[in-house]
Amino acid sequence: MNSFLELVKSRQSDRAYLDKPVEKEKLDRILEAARLAPSACNAQPWKIIVVTDPEKRMQVAEATESKLLSMNHFTKQAPVQLVILEESANFTSNAGGWATNKHYPHIDLGIVAAHISLAATDEGLGSCIIGWCDEKKIQKVLEIPKNKRVMLVILLGYSSQSLRNKKRKSKDEIVSWEKY
Ligand SMILES: Cc1cc2nc3c(=O)[nH]c(=O)nc-3n(C[C@H](O)[C@H](O)[C@H](O)COP(=O)(O)O)c2cc1C
């Protein structure tokens, strides 16, 4: 099988992690994969805060938990968090977005998240993209200016979960050829 497709099939959202640190070299390669991601007009409207300090990590993890929705109660286990911030885009990305009624930085950040999670899989690491979080709490813990949006927290670590079958729509449902 094509090795990229194999990589894609081995990525999953991991929600349980071993108590084992992530090697700095692995983290560096994952961050390089993020840095090289494409973006509209090459605006690169992102900043990534790496959180490994145990105290800060616990506080960020708490900010991802929701009692009400019973979500993200596993996040304290991951030894590394990548906090993905939206930064201002450049003039051309903003102008293009205005003309097409699209907010390109959100698309760009999604691509960065894909690069990160696939690079993590390639390094033998588990990951989970976390969209639910209390932005204000994270801003406070990580001294992020109030006008910067915290869009995602990506957990990284050695997974203790085995690979699940993917639940996905069929190709027929999502792909059509030549017309809608
Ligand atoms: C933008 C985004 C936000 C997500 N937020 C959460 C989250 O807050 N908590 C969580 O457990 N999973 C979250 N996920 C993971 C999805 O639930 C998961 O990707 C989806 O169910 C498919 O499963 P898989 O990643 O194991 O293939 C998020 C994924 C994306 C792309």
Side-chain angles (χ1 to χ4, degrees):
M1 197 200 292
N2 168 307
S3 61
F4 181 69
L5 203 49
E6 261 178 54
L7 181 72
V8 168
K9 287 184 176 175
S10 2
R11 187 220 52 84
Q12 68 180 9
S13 296
D14 291 296
R15 298 188 175 92
Y17 294 88
L18 300 175
D19 184 14
K20 181 179 169 182
V22 172
E23 296 83 346
K24 173 79 167 47
E25 314 85 73
K26 291 193 174 194
L27 216 42
D28 284 341
R29 284 191 292 267
I30 292 167
L31 293 166
E32 179 65 356
R35 191 180 72 85
L36 296 175
S39 57
C41 304
N42 205 18
Q44 304 162 67
W46 49 62
K47 184 165 164 81
I48 301 167
I49 305 180
V50 183
V51 187
T52 57
D53 172 75
E55 206 173 303
K56 285 186 181 171
R57 226 166 21 82
M58 289 307 123
Q59 293 180 64
V60 171
E62 271 162 26
T64 65
E65 291 177 9
S66 166
K67 282 205 180 79
L68 190 69
L69 300 174
S70 185
M71 272 183 79
N72 296 339
H73 295 299
F74 60 92
T75 54
K76 285 196 177 110
Q77 295 175 34
V80 179
Q81 298 159 341
L82 301 184
V83 176
I84 314 292
L85 309 184
E86 179 182 348
E87 291 285 336
S88 306
N90 56 22
F91 175 78
T92 39
S93 173
N94 287 334
W98 177 81
T100 58
N101 192 24
K102 287 176 186 163
H103 187 65
Y104 290 116
H106 287 175
I107 301 171
D108 302 334
L109 293 188
I111 295 171
V112 164
H115 273 218
I116 290 171
S117 49
L118 287 169
T121 305
D122 194 45
E123 296 289 345
L125 294 169
S127 67
C128 191
I129 299 170
I130 301 289
W132 174 273
C133 68
D134 182 331
E135 284 187 62
K136 286 204 173 78
K137 266 194 203 163
I138 296 179
Q139 282 169 339
K140 201 166 170 207
V141 176
L142 303 179
E143 298 167 55
I144 299 166
K146 285 200 177 81
N147 62 339
K148 308 274 179 199
R149 300 275 334 252
V150 177
M151 299 307 287
L152 295 168
V153 175
I154 305 180
L155 307 178
L156 298 175
Y158 285 91
S159 173
S160 60
Q161 297 191 303
S162 45
L163 196 60
R164 301 180 296 270
N165 284 330
K166 298 241 175 290
K167 289 185 199 154
R168 294 294 191 266
K169 293 178 182 174
S170 72
K171 211 183 280 175
D172 287 346
E173 280 180 278
I174 62 160
V175 180
S176 65
W177 289 65
E178 321 300 357
K179 67 184 180 71
Y180 186 86

